[in-house]
Amino acid sequence: MGGRDGHTVSRRRILGLAGAGLGAAVVGTGVAGCGPGEEPAAPGGSAKPGGDSKGGGFTTPPPGTAPEPLWKAAAANTGLAGIDALAVIGGVALVSGDPLVGRSMATGKEKWSRRGVTTPGAELIVGGGTLYLASAEYDGDVVGLDPATGKETWRSRLGKKYQQPRPIAADDRHVYVIAGILEKDFTTPNNVIAAIDTTSGRIAWREQRDAGTEEFGITAAAVDGRLVYTDYRENVTVRDTATGRQVWTKKISRSNNRRFAVHEGLVIVADGRRLRAFDLAGGEDRWSLRTEEFSSFNDPQVLDGVLYASDSVRGMWAVDPRTGKRIWHNGELLDSATQAWQFAKVNGTLYGATEFDEDGGVHAFDAATGKLRWTYNDKSGDIQQWYVAAAADRLAVMHGKRLYALPAV
């Protein structure tokens, strides 16, 4: 069967896609849970065969072989925090959960731990070197923590007539929150988006969103004086970070509550079969790139000036984010890789974390060609999604309630 750009979609790939769809349906029925793999000890510190758990050098495995973890640790991940459940800030690995724990990326040892500091499933929102969270006391406060020590350094609130403000993005000047407007009967049919000044703690601006919009399903980023967010209602919206004024909003063909990219004046989203780039200033369409027939794009990310995205038939794409022109496309991964949804890059290697597949894990691709180099899997049988974040010459990797450090090789 013919595809775009002269490529052919083989019968094998179509059958593989059908099988992947069946697997997704099984996951959708609620089949989840821990596999037979052992839970790692809390402190971690496995030094062999991966390397030195004290932060020294590590042994590079043979070509085509995944490295062993430098250390392993338990994680209190609840699986509710979406794309922002894992973060590495200043050499400290953080996992959304209770207790909230900061671990040294060099050794895996616990640097600090705090119980009851935030609400379940809180996203790790970082701006200006501060970690912002909704208060666990459900008192309407937003708190800021020092990621290096876990100590509270900042606290503010919108006011008593707003229900539990939830941070969605932050930059050097503001933390941006969504909050329901409390009515007399204590319902919240409407909500606001607001900016709190990170210096004074005062409300910089507050804008009521359109009736019918929801408080959840929002992914946001604050870049170049603009707050960009997507939602369940199939919108892409841009506001001015200084005033809160809505600059533009656009409809896309599917809901997008996951990752999008903002790069050099463009907002790039996955919209079904297309990657679409909108002008950040005015919302005009700048370019569009289609994937193969019978497939759709997953979350795009821009790393070192290149846009990377996978598709639903396990293809991998590298694209020039300025023009939408394809740099490479590896469409031969159906039998060797699963869909990567989150990426990190170290030197010439692109790392992709996969979703709900016991045969997934962390894929390592040659960033110049897209060729698969190796896949790390912890053999636990757990079908929960994987997370990956770069930390100098190491990778923070999370799977279920397990946290690992892999050498970036």
Side-chain angles (χ1 to χ4, degrees), residues 83-152:
I83 64 174
D84 294 310
L86 172 68
V88 178
I89 310 167
V92 178
L94 304 172
V95 174
S96 176
D98 191 15
L100 183 64
V101 177
R103 290 189 180 276
S104 166
M105 275 301 300
T107 65
K109 292 183 178 180
E110 184 179 293
K111 295 177 71 70
W112 56 265
S113 176
R114 292 194 61 184
R115 287 193 177 274
V117 72
T118 191
T119 54
E123 298 178 351
L124 302 176
I125 303 298
V126 180
T130 298
L131 173 66
Y132 294 100
L133 302 161
S135 169
E137 298 174 6
Y138 294 93
D139 54 5
D141 284 4
V142 178
V143 298
L145 305 182
D146 179 353
T149 64
K151 294 180 179 179
E152 183 177 315

Side-chain angles (χ1 to χ4, degrees), residues 324-343:
K325 292 183 178 179
R326 182 180 66 183
I327 298 172
W328 53 254
H329 170 220
N330 186 345
E332 304 302 322
L333 296 169
L334 186 61
D335 298 323
S336 58
T338 56
Q339 295 179 44
W341 74 280
Q342 186 186 50
F343 299 103

Side-chain angles (χ1 to χ4, degrees), residues 11 16 32 70 76 99 126 163 192 197 224 237 243 246 249 293 378 384 386:
R11 183 173 180 272
L70 300 171
V126 180
Q163 183 187 53
V192 297
D197 188 288
D224 296 335
T237 303
T243 65
Q246 183 171 296
T249 186
E293 198 170 4
D378 59 11
Q384 293 191 55
W386 292 72

Side-chain angles (χ1 to χ4, degrees), residues 62-343:
T65 304
E68 291 292 327
L70 300 171
W71 52 260
K72 307 176 184 179
N77 172 39
T78 61
L80 301 175
I83 64 174
D84 294 310
L86 172 68
V88 178
I89 310 167
V92 178
L94 304 172
V95 174
S96 176
D98 191 15
L100 183 64
V101 177
R103 290 189 180 276
S104 166
M105 275 301 300
T107 65
K109 292 183 178 180
E110 184 179 293
K111 295 177 71 70
W112 56 265
S113 176
R114 292 194 61 184
R115 287 193 177 274
V117 72
T118 191
T119 54
E123 298 178 351
L124 302 176
I125 303 298
V126 180
T130 298
L131 173 66
Y132 294 100
L133 302 161
S135 169
E137 298 174 6
Y138 294 93
D139 54 5
D141 284 4
V142 178
V143 298
L145 305 182
D146 179 353
T149 64
K151 294 180 179 179
E152 183 177 315
T153 59
W154 185 91
R155 181 177 288 258
S156 185
R157 63 187 307 162
L158 283 184
K160 292 183 178 180
K161 68 177 183 177
Y162 299 101
Q163 183 187 53
Q164 194 59 22
R166 179 171 57 88
I168 58 171
D171 55 26
D172 289 343
R173 294 182 58 191
H174 301 130
V175 54
Y176 304 93
V177 301
I178 290 283
I181 303 173
L182 277 171
E183 302 293 339
K184 291 182 179 179
D185 60 359
F186 298 104
T187 61
T188 55
N190 299 300
N191 62 86
V192 297
I193 188 166
I196 303 175
D197 188 288
T198 55
T199 301
S200 67
R202 295 177 180 175
I203 300 170
W205 52 260
R206 179 175 47 217
E207 295 287 332
Q208 182 169 333
R209 299 174 70 216
D210 293 340
T213 55
E214 300 173 359
E215 295 178 51
F216 298 94
I218 293 173
T219 300
V223 182
D224 296 335
R226 295 289 184 262
L227 177 66
V228 186
Y229 55 96
T230 58
D231 58 40
Y232 280 148
R233 296 286 184 170
E234 303 176 357
N235 299 306
V236 181
T237 303
V238 174
R239 291 182 181 271
D240 184 285
T241 58
T243 65
R245 177 182 62 89
Q246 183 171 296
V247 180
W248 58 266
T249 186
K250 292 278 187 177
K251 281 287 185 182
I252 54 178
S253 65
R254 72 174 189 181
S255 62
N256 186 335
N257 64 315
R258 295 256 298 236
R259 195 179 305 275
F260 56 84
V262 181
H263 180 74
E264 293 188 357
L266 296 176
V267 180
I268 306 166
V269 300
D271 188 7
R273 286 190 59 199
R274 293 189 295 165
L275 288 175
R276 296 179 65 186
F278 301 101
D279 182 74
L280 179 61
E284 297 84 3
D285 282 272
R286 290 305 183 201
W287 57 258
S288 175
L289 175 68
R290 283 188 179 271
T291 185
E292 293 180 319
E293 198 170 4
F294 306 115
S295 67
S296 58
F297 276 112
N298 298 316
D299 311 342
Q301 279 181 254
V302 176
L303 301 170
D304 294 340
V306 177
L307 185 147
Y308 299 100
S310 66
D311 63 35
S312 58
V313 290
R314 303 184 182 180
M316 276 292 302
W317 298 73
V319 177
D320 184 336
R322 299 167 300 173
T323 64
K325 292 183 178 179
R326 182 180 66 183
I327 298 172
W328 53 254
H329 170 220
N330 186 345
E332 304 302 322
L333 296 169
L334 186 61
D335 298 323
S336 58
T338 56
Q339 295 179 44
W341 74 280
Q342 186 186 50
F343 299 103

Side-chain angles (χ1 to χ4, degrees), residues 2-14:
R4 289 179 59 84
D5 301 324
H7 292 294
T8 298
V9 181
S10 69
R11 183 173 180 272
R12 174 182 64 83
R13 296 196 65 172
I14 295 171

